[in-house]
Structure formats: C-alpha cells, structure tokens
C-alpha cells in the first residue's frame, strides 16, 4: 500500500505542475543604415573606425551587433538589433551612432556595401563605397 501511495503522490505532483514559458520573448532584426562615415583611403596595416547611424524604430529595439559578411575585398554591413516582444513598445525614431574598428589586411580597394533597406520586390538595397588602399 505504501508503494501505491508513493506512486500516486508522484503522479499527482507531475500532473499538477503546469508548464508555463515565462522566458522573455524576443527576435532579431536587421535595420537599415541611414548614414555612415568612412575614410577616403586606407593604408595597409592600419586600423580605421567605421561609423554608422541607424534609426531605432521602437523602444524595444536594442543594438545587438553588426551583420558583417566578408567576400574577398567586399564587406557587407548592417546593424543587428534584438527586439523585445512586449506590448508596451513606443515609437522611437531617434538616430543611434555605432562604430567598429576595421583593420586593413590586403592591397587593392575595399568595397563596403551598407544595407539601406529593401525595395518593393523584396530585394536588398545597398550603399556601395569603394575605398582604395595606398
């Protein structure tokens, strides 16, 4: 009888537990770059700050980092944000400036492609800047 009672209590405890997901909900979002600052030319082996400005969108958008894709001397850049999925977000169109240091490792020119949004057909649009290495 003690075994039966123990099994019954264990099953009752498992059944009475509700599984609630109380973790914060969020997703990642790539935002367009509205302006950027780059040098006119690079010197091999030097480091340069690359500055970008973007609009937050809402108070729930927080800077997460950069989307950075490297293909030979082509660099594709965008701002990555984490967006909290709570209902009390308010519109926030303030500009935020972020930057990173770029280390020049090869000769020739670098082509920077800064994400500026998507067109009506859903194609990505970019500002393209070619920066020579002296």
């Amino acid at each position: 009888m003690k075994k039966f009672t123990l099994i019954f209590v264990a099953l009752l405890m498992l059944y009475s537990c509700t599984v609630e997901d109380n973790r914060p909900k969020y997703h990642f979002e790539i935002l367009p770059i509205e302006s950027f600052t780059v040098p006119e030319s690079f010197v091999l082996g030097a480091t340069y700050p690359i500055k970008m400005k973007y609009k937050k969108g809402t108070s729930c958008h927080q800077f997460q980092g950069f989307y950075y894709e490297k293909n030979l001397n082509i660099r594709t850049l965008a701002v990555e944000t984490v967006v909290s999925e709570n209902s009390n977000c308010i519109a926030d169109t303030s500009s935020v400036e972020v930057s990173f240091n770029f280390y020049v490792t090869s000769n020739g020119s670098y082509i920077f492609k800064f994400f500026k949004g998507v067109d009506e057909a859903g194609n990505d649009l970019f500002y393209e800047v070619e920066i020579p290495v002296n």
Side-chain angles (χ1 to χ4, degrees):
M1 187 70 171
K2 289 181 183 179
K3 289 182 185 178
F4 177 72
T5 305
L6 182 62
I7 292 173
F8 178 73
V9 169
L11 289 174
L12 184 63
M13 287 175 55
L14 287 175
Y15 180 72
S16 65
C17 293
T18 59
V19 179
E20 268 188 47
D21 187 5
N22 291 331
R23 294 178 290 176
K25 292 178 180 29
Y26 62 90
H27 66 274
F28 295 96
E29 196 171 303
I30 301 293
L31 295 180
I33 295 168
E34 68 176 14
S35 67
F36 52 88
T37 305
V38 294
E40 290 183 20
S41 65
F42 290 140
V43 173
L44 184 64
T47 301
Y48 297 89
I50 306 293
K51 297 178 182 178
M52 295 171 272
K53 284 188 180 180
Y54 71 97
K55 291 190 184 216
K56 276 182 81 168
T58 71
S59 61
C60 292
H61 285 77
Q62 298 299 320
F63 178 73
Q64 174 66 25
F66 298 101
Y67 172 85
Y68 185 85
E69 185 178 305
K70 176 180 171 182
N71 182 11
L72 299 174
N73 277 12
I74 300 172
R75 303 296 186 267
T76 304
L77 293 157
V79 171
E80 186 176 60
T81 59
V82 62
V83 183
S84 174
E85 295 177 1
N86 57 38
S87 60
N88 57 354
C89 300
I90 56 172
D92 183 357
T93 58
S94 62
S95 290
V96 178
E97 183 174 274
V98 292
S99 69
F100 71 97
N101 289 326
F102 180 73
Y103 179 66
V104 181
T105 59
S106 68
N107 289 321
S109 293
Y110 281 92
I111 297 174
F112 285 85
K113 296 169 66 175
F114 296 95
F115 178 67
K116 67 177 178 179
V118 294
D119 64 11
E120 297 82 25
N123 299 314
D124 293 339
L125 302 172
F126 298 94
Y127 301 105
E128 289 191 24
V129 178
E130 185 171 351
I131 304 173
V133 176
N134 297 325

